[in-house]
Amino acid sequence: MKVIKHSEQILKTALISKNTQLVKLYENLESREKCLLNEAFQPDSVLFRPITLHSESDWISSHPEPTQDFEQFYNDPYRSRPTSQKSAIYVQPIGSFGDTKVSTEDYMKWLKDYCEAFYYGLSVKILEPVPVSHTSCAFRVNEYTCNLQIHAGDLLKYLKKKKPEDAFCIVGITMIDLYPTESWNFVFGQASLTEGMGIFSFARYDSDFYSASYKGRLKRVKKLPSADYSVFDGYYTPVTSSVLLLRSCKTLTHEIGHIFGLHHCQWLQCVMQGSNHLEESDRRPLDLCPICLRKLQSAIGFHIVERYQALLGWMDDDRSGMDAELRNEAKMGLLKPVEAFKECREWVLKCLDVLQK
């Protein structure tokens, strides 16, 4: 295992900058906000830790790319900025989500509410879910994994036509696997940052995806008619577990972060770290490091304490004192499954403790 440990001075410069104007901007932040952000360069911080690489297949090892500090982000002339006329984040569900216990509507509401807490101050709007057939996208059966896949580039063209006038961005999400070209095995997602669009699949975040018992494998693999979308009717949708919801929240906010202009983080453990595989993705924390948090705050303008309070509110699933109807919903598995968020919740509470002292 390799630890990427930057010096205190390098992290301090990445967060604050040496540019006089940007230093003044930092000094104008609330004192408690600076206390939290300054944790970035505290060697013994328990809130923000160095990145660890576990193998040569991890993202940083296999995809060398330049770092992006706050000054580079702030001065980037090409990054997208929300405006009063274009401030909404639109999410377009494609295909089914949820299972026999959880509806697509429930799953979308959980993602919407989480995304609104993460990008605090912006509205998130869920568009009416559409079946794959409405997108007119190409599709195929993966010759190795024998599961259905839909063409990412075709879906971006579809999203471009559907992007509302007041949209900062539009992202499509699906539980069906994606591929970008015939020569590629699969892709987790694809985006056009200049046009504020992205399409992302949660299919491979199902814990059973790579197992021989995966229910999304087609028993009989044959060439499919190009315009016959009936093969998607009743196609397998994974059980909505707490782990799947956690992975979905991470992926959605990470990819939208790129549309804001945040590059892959190489400073500290952060949800904006790149990931090459599921195990690496699971190691990423749910939230941002101080350097990326300052970037996002400068883009949106939220108070950090209010953002953390919103995240905590989303994670809180206090069932004590619930009425009879809610108790019945809990027994039926209809309440938001937040068990996998327990460690994240404890971390948010520690951050709020610093912010509210």
Side-chain angles (χ1 to χ4, degrees), residues 115-197:
C115 203
E116 282 191 336
F118 191 97
Y119 291 103
Y120 189 75
L122 299 185
S123 63
V124 178
K125 301 179 181 181
I126 306 294
L127 297 170
E128 192 69 27
V130 297
V132 176
S133 58
H134 281 206
T135 69
S136 300
C137 70
F139 58 93
R140 72 178 186 184
V141 177
N142 184 293
E143 62 179 310
Y144 304 106
T145 51
C146 302
N147 60 291
L148 285 171
Q149 295 182 302
I150 48 183
H151 192 276
D154 288 350
L155 294 172
L156 285 178
K157 292 175 186 175
Y158 171 77
L159 292 173
K160 186 175 182 179
K161 295 175 186 175
K162 289 208 63 176
K163 189 177 180 183
E165 285 293 318
D166 66 335
F168 166 68
C169 67
I170 181 170
V171 292
I173 56 174
T174 182
M175 282 291 188
I176 303 167
D177 206 22
L178 299 173
Y179 72 102
T181 65
E182 286 296 333
S183 61
W184 279 53
N185 183 25
F186 77 96
V187 69
F188 283 113
Q190 194 170 325
S192 172
L193 304 187
T194 55
E195 296 188 274
M197 309 184 303

Coordinates of all heavy atoms in Angstrom, one line a residue, residues 115-197:
C115 N -28.9 14.7 -3.5 CA -28.2 15.6 -4.4 C -28.4 17.1 -4.0 O -27.5 17.9 -4.1 CB -28.6 15.3 -5.8 SG -27.5 15.8 -7.1
E116 N -29.6 17.4 -3.6 CA -29.9 18.8 -3.2 C -29.2 19.2 -1.9 O -28.8 20.3 -1.7 CB -31.4 19.0 -3.0 CG -32.2 19.1 -4.3 CD -33.6 19.6 -4.1 OE1 -34.2 19.3 -3.0 OE2 -34.2 20.1 -5.0
A117 N -28.9 18.2 -1.0 CA -28.1 18.5 0.2 C -26.6 18.7 -0.2 O -26.0 19.6 0.3 CB -28.3 17.3 1.2
F118 N -26.2 17.8 -1.1 CA -24.8 17.9 -1.5 C -24.5 19.2 -2.2 O -23.5 19.9 -2.0 CB -24.4 16.7 -2.4 CG -23.0 16.5 -2.7 CD1 -22.2 15.6 -1.9 CD2 -22.3 17.2 -3.7 CE1 -20.9 15.4 -2.1 CE2 -21.0 17.0 -3.9 CZ -20.2 16.1 -3.1
Y119 N -25.3 19.5 -3.2 CA -25.2 20.8 -4.0 C -26.1 21.8 -3.4 O -27.0 22.3 -4.0 CB -25.5 20.5 -5.5 CG -24.4 19.7 -6.1 CD1 -24.6 18.3 -6.3 CD2 -23.1 20.2 -6.3 CE1 -23.6 17.5 -6.9 CE2 -22.1 19.4 -6.9 CZ -22.3 18.1 -7.1 OH -21.3 17.3 -7.6
Y120 N -25.9 22.1 -2.1 CA -26.8 22.9 -1.3 C -27.0 24.3 -1.9 O -26.0 25.0 -2.2 CB -26.3 23.0 0.1 CG -27.3 23.6 1.1 CD1 -28.4 22.9 1.5 CD2 -27.1 24.9 1.5 CE1 -29.3 23.5 2.4 CE2 -28.0 25.5 2.4 CZ -29.1 24.8 2.9 OH -30.0 25.4 3.7
G121 N -28.3 24.6 -2.1 CA -28.6 25.9 -2.7 C -29.1 25.8 -4.1 O -29.7 26.8 -4.6
L122 N -28.9 24.7 -4.7 CA -29.4 24.5 -6.1 C -30.6 23.5 -6.0 O -30.7 22.6 -5.1 CB -28.4 23.9 -7.0 CG -27.1 24.8 -7.2 CD1 -26.2 24.1 -8.3 CD2 -27.5 26.2 -7.7
S123 N -31.5 23.6 -6.9 CA -32.7 22.7 -7.0 C -32.3 21.5 -7.9 O -31.6 21.7 -8.9 CB -33.9 23.4 -7.5 OG -33.7 23.9 -8.8
V124 N -32.8 20.4 -7.5 CA -32.6 19.2 -8.3 C -34.0 18.7 -8.7 O -34.9 18.6 -7.9 CB -31.9 18.1 -7.5 CG1 -31.8 16.8 -8.3 CG2 -30.5 18.5 -7.1
K125 N -34.2 18.5 -10.0 CA -35.5 18.1 -10.6 C -35.4 16.8 -11.3 O -34.5 16.6 -12.1 CB -36.0 19.2 -11.5 CG -36.2 20.6 -10.8 CD -36.6 21.6 -11.8 CE -36.7 23.0 -11.1 NZ -37.2 24.1 -12.0
I126 N -36.3 15.9 -10.9 CA -36.3 14.6 -11.5 C -37.3 14.6 -12.7 O -38.5 14.9 -12.5 CB -36.7 13.5 -10.5 CG1 -35.8 13.5 -9.3 CG2 -36.7 12.1 -11.2 CD1 -34.4 13.1 -9.6
L127 N -36.9 14.3 -13.9 CA -37.8 14.2 -15.0 C -38.5 12.9 -15.0 O -38.1 11.9 -14.3 CB -37.0 14.4 -16.3 CG -36.3 15.7 -16.5 CD1 -35.3 15.7 -17.7 CD2 -37.3 16.8 -16.7
E128 N -39.6 12.8 -15.7 CA -40.4 11.6 -15.8 C -39.5 10.5 -16.3 O -38.9 10.6 -17.4 CB -41.6 11.8 -16.7 CG -42.7 10.7 -16.6 CD -43.4 10.7 -15.3 OE1 -43.5 11.7 -14.6 OE2 -43.9 9.6 -14.9
P129 N -39.5 9.3 -15.6 CA -38.7 8.2 -16.1 C -39.2 7.8 -17.5 O -40.4 7.8 -17.8 CB -38.9 7.1 -15.1 CG -39.3 7.8 -13.9 CD -40.1 9.0 -14.3
V130 N -38.2 7.4 -18.4 CA -38.6 6.9 -19.7 C -38.0 5.5 -20.0 O -37.0 5.2 -19.4 CB -38.0 7.9 -20.8 CG1 -38.6 9.3 -20.7 CG2 -36.5 8.0 -20.8
P131 N -38.8 4.7 -20.7 CA -38.2 3.4 -21.1 C -37.1 3.6 -22.1 O -37.0 4.6 -22.8 CB -39.4 2.7 -21.7 CG -40.3 3.8 -22.2 CD -40.1 4.9 -21.3
V132 N -36.3 2.6 -22.2 CA -35.1 2.6 -23.2 C -35.6 2.9 -24.6 O -35.0 3.7 -25.3 CB -34.3 1.3 -23.1 CG1 -33.2 1.3 -24.2 CG2 -33.8 1.0 -21.8
S133 N -36.8 2.4 -25.0 CA -37.3 2.6 -26.3 C -37.5 4.0 -26.7 O -37.3 4.4 -27.9 CB -38.6 1.8 -26.5 OG -39.5 2.3 -25.6
H134 N -37.8 4.9 -25.7 CA -38.0 6.3 -26.0 C -36.7 7.0 -26.4 O -36.8 8.1 -27.0 CB -38.6 7.0 -24.8 CG -40.0 6.8 -24.6 ND1 -40.9 7.7 -24.0 CD2 -40.8 5.8 -25.0 CE1 -42.1 7.2 -23.9 NE2 -42.1 6.0 -24.6
T135 N -35.6 6.5 -26.1 CA -34.3 7.1 -26.4 C -33.8 6.8 -27.8 O -32.9 7.5 -28.3 CB -33.2 6.7 -25.4 OG1 -32.9 5.3 -25.6 CG2 -33.7 6.9 -24.0
S136 N -34.4 5.8 -28.5 CA -33.9 5.3 -29.8 C -32.4 4.9 -29.8 O -31.8 5.1 -30.9 CB -34.2 6.3 -30.9 OG -35.6 6.6 -30.9
C137 N -31.9 4.5 -28.7 CA -30.5 4.2 -28.6 C -30.2 2.8 -29.1 O -31.0 1.9 -29.1 CB -30.0 4.4 -27.2 SG -30.5 3.1 -26.1
A138 N -28.9 2.7 -29.6 CA -28.5 1.3 -30.0 C -28.3 0.5 -28.7 O -28.1 1.0 -27.6 CB -27.2 1.4 -30.7
F139 N -28.3 -0.8 -28.8 CA -28.1 -1.7 -27.7 C -27.5 -3.0 -28.1 O -27.5 -3.3 -29.3 CB -29.4 -1.9 -26.9 CG -30.6 -2.5 -27.7 CD1 -30.8 -3.9 -27.8 CD2 -31.4 -1.7 -28.4 CE1 -31.8 -4.4 -28.5 CE2 -32.4 -2.2 -29.2 CZ -32.6 -3.6 -29.2
R140 N -27.0 -3.8 -27.2 CA -26.4 -5.1 -27.5 C -26.4 -5.9 -26.3 O -26.7 -5.5 -25.2 CB -25.0 -4.8 -28.0 CG -24.0 -4.4 -26.9 CD -22.6 -4.2 -27.4 NE -21.7 -4.0 -26.3 CZ -20.4 -3.7 -26.4 NH1 -19.8 -3.6 -27.6 NH2 -19.6 -3.5 -25.4
V141 N -26.0 -7.2 -26.5 CA -25.7 -8.1 -25.4 C -24.1 -8.2 -25.3 O -23.5 -8.5 -26.3 CB -26.3 -9.5 -25.6 CG1 -25.8 -10.4 -24.4 CG2 -27.8 -9.4 -25.7
N142 N -23.6 -7.9 -24.1 CA -22.1 -8.0 -23.9 C -21.7 -9.5 -24.1 O -22.2 -10.4 -23.4 CB -21.8 -7.5 -22.5 CG -20.3 -7.5 -22.2 OD1 -19.6 -8.5 -22.2 ND2 -19.8 -6.3 -22.1
E143 N -20.7 -9.7 -24.9 CA -20.3 -11.1 -25.3 C -19.6 -11.8 -24.1 O -19.5 -13.0 -24.1 CB -19.4 -11.1 -26.5 CG -18.1 -10.3 -26.3 CD -17.3 -10.4 -27.6 OE1 -17.1 -11.5 -28.1 OE2 -16.8 -9.3 -28.1
Y144 N -19.1 -11.0 -23.1 CA -18.4 -11.6 -22.0 C -19.3 -11.8 -20.8 O -19.2 -12.9 -20.2 CB -17.2 -10.8 -21.6 CG -16.2 -10.5 -22.8 CD1 -16.2 -9.2 -23.4 CD2 -15.4 -11.5 -23.2 CE1 -15.3 -9.0 -24.4 CE2 -14.5 -11.2 -24.3 CZ -14.5 -10.0 -24.9 OH -13.6 -9.7 -25.9
T145 N -20.1 -10.8 -20.5 CA -20.9 -10.9 -19.3 C -22.3 -11.3 -19.6 O -23.1 -11.5 -18.6 CB -20.9 -9.5 -18.5 OG1 -21.1 -8.5 -19.4 CG2 -19.5 -9.3 -17.9
C146 N -22.7 -11.3 -20.9 CA -24.1 -11.7 -21.3 C -25.2 -10.9 -20.7 O -26.3 -11.4 -20.5 CB -24.3 -13.2 -21.0 SG -23.0 -14.3 -21.7
N147 N -24.9 -9.6 -20.5 CA -26.0 -8.7 -20.0 C -26.3 -7.7 -21.1 O -25.5 -7.4 -21.9 CB -25.6 -8.0 -18.7 CG -24.3 -7.2 -18.9 OD1 -23.2 -7.7 -19.1 ND2 -24.5 -5.9 -18.8
L148 N -27.5 -7.1 -21.0 CA -27.9 -6.0 -21.9 C -27.1 -4.8 -21.7 O -26.8 -4.4 -20.5 CB -29.4 -5.7 -21.8 CG -30.3 -6.8 -22.4 CD1 -31.8 -6.5 -22.0 CD2 -30.2 -6.8 -23.9
Q149 N -26.7 -4.1 -22.7 CA -26.0 -2.8 -22.6 C -26.7 -1.8 -23.6 O -27.1 -2.2 -24.7 CB -24.6 -3.0 -23.0 CG -23.8 -3.8 -22.0 CD -22.3 -3.9 -22.4 OE1 -22.0 -4.3 -23.5 NE2 -21.4 -3.5 -21.5
I150 N -26.7 -0.5 -23.2 CA -27.2 0.5 -24.1 C -26.1 1.5 -24.4 O -25.1 1.7 -23.6 CB -28.4 1.2 -23.5 CG1 -28.2 1.6 -22.0 CG2 -29.6 0.3 -23.6 CD1 -29.4 2.3 -21.3
H151 N -26.2 2.2 -25.6 CA -25.1 3.0 -26.1 C -25.1 4.4 -25.5 O -26.0 5.2 -25.6 CB -25.3 3.1 -27.6 CG -24.1 3.7 -28.3 ND1 -23.9 5.1 -28.4 CD2 -23.0 3.1 -29.0 CE1 -22.8 5.3 -29.1 NE2 -22.2 4.1 -29.5
A152 N -23.9 4.7 -24.8 CA -23.8 5.9 -24.1 C -23.9 7.2 -25.0 O -24.6 8.2 -24.6 CB -22.5 5.9 -23.3
G153 N -23.3 7.2 -26.1 CA -23.3 8.3 -27.0 C -24.7 8.6 -27.5 O -25.1 9.8 -27.6
D154 N -25.5 7.6 -27.8 CA -26.8 7.8 -28.3 C -27.7 8.5 -27.2 O -28.5 9.3 -27.4 CB -27.5 6.5 -28.7 CG -26.9 6.0 -30.0 OD1 -26.2 6.7 -30.7 OD2 -27.2 4.8 -30.4
L155 N -27.4 8.0 -25.9 CA -28.2 8.6 -24.8 C -27.8 10.1 -24.6 O -28.7 10.9 -24.2 CB -27.9 7.8 -23.6 CG -28.4 6.3 -23.6 CD1 -27.9 5.5 -22.4 CD2 -29.9 6.3 -23.7
L156 N -26.6 10.4 -24.8 CA -26.2 11.9 -24.7 C -26.9 12.7 -25.7 O -27.4 13.8 -25.4 CB -24.7 12.0 -24.8 CG -23.8 11.6 -23.6 CD1 -22.3 11.8 -24.0 CD2 -24.2 12.4 -22.4
K157 N -27.1 12.2 -26.9 CA -27.8 12.9 -28.0 C -29.3 13.1 -27.5 O -29.9 14.1 -27.8 CB -27.8 12.1 -29.3 CG -26.4 12.1 -29.9 CD -26.4 11.2 -31.2 CE -25.0 11.0 -31.7 NZ -24.9 10.1 -32.9
Y158 N -29.8 12.0 -26.9 CA -31.2 12.1 -26.4 C -31.3 13.2 -25.3 O -32.3 14.0 -25.3 CB -31.6 10.8 -25.9 CG -33.0 10.8 -25.2 CD1 -34.2 10.8 -25.9 CD2 -33.0 10.7 -23.8 CE1 -35.4 10.8 -25.2 CE2 -34.2 10.7 -23.1 CZ -35.4 10.8 -23.8 OH -36.6 10.8 -23.2
L159 N -30.4 13.2 -24.4 CA -30.4 14.2 -23.3 C -30.3 15.6 -23.8 O -30.9 16.5 -23.3 CB -29.3 13.9 -22.3 CG -29.5 12.6 -21.5 CD1 -28.2 12.3 -20.7 CD2 -30.7 12.6 -20.6
K160 N -29.5 15.8 -24.8 CA -29.3 17.1 -25.4 C -30.6 17.7 -25.9 O -30.9 18.9 -25.7 CB -28.3 17.1 -26.5 CG -27.9 18.4 -27.1 CD -26.8 18.3 -28.1 CE -26.4 19.7 -28.7 NZ -25.3 19.7 -29.7
K161 N -31.4 16.9 -26.5 CA -32.7 17.3 -27.0 C -33.7 17.6 -25.8 O -34.6 18.5 -25.9 CB -33.4 16.2 -27.8 CG -32.6 16.0 -29.1 CD -33.2 14.8 -29.9 CE -32.4 14.4 -31.1 NZ -32.9 13.2 -31.8
K162 N -33.5 17.0 -24.7 CA -34.4 17.1 -23.5 C -34.0 18.2 -22.5 O -34.7 18.4 -21.6 CB -34.6 15.8 -22.8 CG -35.4 14.7 -23.6 CD -36.1 13.8 -22.7 CE -37.1 14.4 -21.8 NZ -37.8 13.4 -21.0
K163 N -32.8 18.7 -22.7 CA -32.3 19.7 -21.7 C -33.1 20.9 -21.6 O -33.3 21.7 -22.5 CB -30.8 20.0 -22.0 CG -30.1 20.8 -20.9 CD -28.7 21.1 -21.3 CE -28.0 21.9 -20.2 NZ -26.6 22.3 -20.6
P164 N -33.7 21.2 -20.4 CA -34.6 22.3 -20.2 C -33.8 23.7 -20.3 O -32.6 23.7 -20.1 CB -35.2 22.1 -18.8 CG -35.1 20.7 -18.6 CD -33.8 20.3 -19.2
E165 N -34.5 24.7 -20.5 CA -33.9 26.1 -20.7 C -33.2 26.5 -19.4 O -32.2 27.2 -19.4 CB -35.0 27.1 -21.0 CG -35.4 27.0 -22.5 CD -34.3 27.4 -23.5 OE1 -33.6 28.4 -23.2 OE2 -34.1 26.7 -24.5
D166 N -33.8 26.1 -18.2 CA -33.2 26.6 -16.9 C -32.2 25.6 -16.3 O -31.9 25.8 -15.2 CB -34.4 26.9 -15.9 CG -35.1 25.6 -15.5 OD1 -35.1 24.6 -16.3 OD2 -35.7 25.6 -14.4
A167 N -31.8 24.7 -17.1 CA -30.9 23.7 -16.6 C -29.4 24.1 -16.5 O -28.9 24.7 -17.5 CB -31.0 22.4 -17.5
F168 N -28.8 24.0 -15.4 CA -27.4 24.1 -15.3 C -26.8 22.8 -16.0 O -25.8 22.9 -16.7 CB -26.9 24.2 -13.8 CG -25.4 23.9 -13.6 CD1 -24.5 24.9 -14.1 CD2 -25.0 22.8 -13.0 CE1 -23.2 24.6 -14.0 CE2 -23.6 22.6 -12.9 CZ -22.7 23.5 -13.4
C169 N -27.4 21.7 -15.7 CA -26.9 20.5 -16.3 C -28.1 19.4 -16.3 O -29.1 19.6 -15.6 CB -25.7 19.9 -15.6 SG -26.0 19.3 -13.9
I170 N -27.9 18.4 -17.2 CA -28.9 17.3 -17.2 C -28.0 16.0 -17.2 O -27.1 15.9 -17.9 CB -29.8 17.4 -18.4 CG1 -30.8 16.2 -18.4 CG2 -29.1 17.4 -19.7 CD1 -31.9 16.3 -19.4
V171 N -28.4 15.1 -16.3 CA -27.7 13.8 -16.2 C -28.7 12.7 -16.3 O -29.8 12.7 -15.7 CB -26.9 13.7 -14.9 CG1 -25.7 14.7 -14.9 CG2 -27.7 13.9 -13.7
G172 N -28.4 11.7 -17.1 CA -29.2 10.6 -17.3 C -28.6 9.5 -16.4 O -27.4 9.3 -16.2
I173 N -29.5 8.7 -15.7 CA -29.0 7.6 -14.9 C -29.8 6.4 -15.2 O -31.0 6.5 -15.6 CB -29.2 7.9 -13.4 CG1 -30.6 8.3 -13.0 CG2 -28.2 9.0 -12.9 CD1 -30.8 8.5 -11.5
T174 N -29.2 5.2 -15.1 CA -29.9 4.0 -15.5 C -29.3 2.8 -14.7 O -28.1 2.9 -14.2 CB -29.7 3.7 -17.0 OG1 -30.4 2.5 -17.4 CG2 -28.2 3.6 -17.4
M175 N -30.0 1.8 -14.6 CA -29.6 0.6 -14.0 C -29.1 -0.4 -15.0 O -28.8 -1.6 -14.7 CB -30.7 -0.1 -13.1 CG -30.8 0.6 -11.7 SD -29.4 0.3 -10.6 CE -30.1 1.0 -9.1
I176 N -29.1 0.0 -16.3 CA -28.7 -0.9 -17.4 C -27.2 -0.5 -17.7 O -26.8 0.7 -17.7 CB -29.6 -0.7 -18.6 CG1 -31.0 -1.0 -18.2 CG2 -29.1 -1.6 -19.7 CD1 -32.1 -0.6 -19.2
D177 N -26.4 -1.5 -18.0 CA -25.0 -1.3 -18.3 C -24.8 -0.5 -19.6 O -25.7 -0.5 -20.5 CB -24.4 -2.7 -18.5 CG -22.9 -2.7 -18.2 OD1 -22.4 -1.8 -17.5 OD2 -22.2 -3.7 -18.7
L178 N -23.7 0.2 -19.7 CA -23.4 1.1 -20.8 C -22.2 0.6 -21.6 O -21.3 0.0 -21.1 CB -23.2 2.5 -20.3 CG -24.2 3.3 -19.6 CD1 -23.7 4.6 -19.1 CD2 -25.4 3.5 -20.4
Y179 N -22.2 1.0 -22.9 CA -21.0 0.8 -23.7 C -20.8 2.1 -24.6 O -21.8 2.6 -25.1 CB -21.0 -0.5 -24.5 CG -22.0 -0.5 -25.7 CD1 -21.5 -0.3 -27.0 CD2 -23.3 -0.6 -25.5 CE1 -22.4 -0.3 -28.1 CE2 -24.2 -0.7 -26.6 CZ -23.7 -0.5 -27.9 OH -24.6 -0.5 -28.9
P180 N -19.6 2.5 -24.9 CA -19.4 3.7 -25.7 C -19.2 3.4 -27.2 O -19.6 4.2 -28.0 CB -18.1 4.4 -25.1 CG -17.3 3.2 -24.6 CD -18.3 2.1 -24.2
T181 N -18.5 2.3 -27.5 CA -18.3 1.9 -28.9 C -18.3 0.4 -28.9 O -18.1 -0.3 -27.8 CB -16.9 2.4 -29.4 OG1 -15.9 1.8 -28.7 CG2 -16.8 3.9 -29.4
E182 N -18.4 -0.2 -30.1 CA -18.4 -1.7 -30.2 C -17.1 -2.3 -29.6 O -17.1 -3.4 -29.2 CB -18.6 -2.1 -31.6 CG -20.0 -1.9 -32.1 CD -21.1 -2.7 -31.4 OE1 -20.7 -3.8 -30.9 OE2 -22.2 -2.3 -31.3
S183 N -16.0 -1.6 -29.7 CA -14.7 -2.2 -29.3 C -14.5 -2.2 -27.8 O -13.6 -2.8 -27.3 CB -13.6 -1.5 -30.0 OG -13.6 -0.1 -29.7
W184 N -15.3 -1.4 -27.1 CA -15.2 -1.3 -25.6 C -16.1 -2.4 -25.0 O -17.2 -2.6 -25.4 CB -15.6 0.1 -25.1 CG -14.5 1.1 -25.3 CD1 -13.8 1.4 -26.4 CD2 -14.0 2.0 -24.3 NE1 -12.9 2.4 -26.2 CE2 -13.0 2.8 -24.9 CE3 -14.3 2.2 -22.9 CZ2 -12.3 3.7 -24.2 CZ3 -13.6 3.1 -22.2 CH2 -12.6 3.9 -22.9
N185 N -15.6 -2.9 -23.8 CA -16.4 -3.9 -23.1 C -17.5 -3.2 -22.3 O -18.7 -3.7 -22.4 CB -15.4 -4.5 -22.0 CG -16.1 -5.6 -21.2 OD1 -17.1 -6.2 -21.7 ND2 -15.6 -5.9 -20.0
F186 N -17.3 -2.1 -21.7 CA -18.3 -1.3 -21.0 C -17.7 0.1 -20.6 O -16.6 0.3 -20.7 CB -18.8 -2.0 -19.7 CG -17.8 -1.9 -18.6 CD1 -18.0 -1.0 -17.6 CD2 -16.7 -2.8 -18.4 CE1 -17.1 -0.8 -16.5 CE2 -15.8 -2.7 -17.4 CZ -16.0 -1.7 -16.4
V187 N -18.6 0.9 -20.1 CA -18.2 2.2 -19.5 C -19.1 2.5 -18.4 O -20.3 2.2 -18.5 CB -18.1 3.3 -20.6 CG1 -19.5 3.7 -21.1 CG2 -17.4 4.5 -20.1
F188 N -18.6 3.1 -17.3 CA -19.5 3.4 -16.2 C -20.3 4.6 -16.5 O -21.5 4.8 -16.1 CB -18.7 3.8 -14.9 CG -18.1 2.6 -14.2 CD1 -16.8 2.3 -14.1 CD2 -19.0 1.7 -13.5 CE1 -16.3 1.2 -13.5 CE2 -18.5 0.6 -12.9 CZ -17.1 0.4 -12.8
G189 N -19.8 5.5 -17.3 CA -20.5 6.7 -17.7 C -19.8 7.5 -18.8 O -18.6 7.2 -19.1
Q190 N -20.4 8.5 -19.3 CA -19.8 9.4 -20.3 C -20.5 10.8 -20.2 O -21.6 10.9 -19.8 CB -20.1 8.8 -21.7 CG -19.3 9.4 -22.8 CD -19.4 8.6 -24.1 OE1 -19.6 7.4 -24.1 NE2 -19.4 9.3 -25.3
A191 N -19.7 11.8 -20.4 CA -20.2 13.2 -20.2 C -19.7 14.1 -21.3 O -18.7 13.9 -22.0 CB -19.8 13.7 -18.9
S192 N -20.4 15.2 -21.5 CA -20.0 16.3 -22.3 C -20.0 17.5 -21.4 O -21.1 18.1 -21.1 CB -20.9 16.5 -23.5 OG -20.6 17.8 -24.1
L193 N -18.8 17.9 -20.8 CA -18.8 18.9 -19.8 C -19.1 20.3 -20.4 O -19.8 21.1 -19.7 CB -17.4 18.9 -19.1 CG -16.9 17.6 -18.5 CD1 -15.6 17.8 -17.8 CD2 -18.0 17.0 -17.6
T194 N -18.7 20.5 -21.6 CA -19.0 21.8 -22.2 C -20.5 22.0 -22.4 O -21.0 23.1 -22.4 CB -18.3 22.0 -23.6 OG1 -18.7 20.9 -24.4 CG2 -16.8 22.0 -23.4
E195 N -21.3 20.9 -22.7 CA -22.7 21.0 -22.9 C -23.5 20.7 -21.6 O -24.7 20.7 -21.7 CB -23.1 20.1 -24.0 CG -22.5 20.5 -25.3 CD -23.0 19.7 -26.5 OE1 -22.5 18.6 -26.8 OE2 -24.0 20.2 -27.1
G196 N -22.8 20.4 -20.5 CA -23.5 20.2 -19.2 C -24.4 19.0 -19.3 O -25.5 19.0 -18.8
M197 N -23.8 17.8 -19.7 CA -24.6 16.6 -19.8 C -23.8 15.4 -19.4 O -22.6 15.4 -19.6 CB -25.1 16.3 -21.3 CG -25.8 17.5 -22.0 SD -26.4 16.9 -23.6 CE -24.9 16.4 -24.4

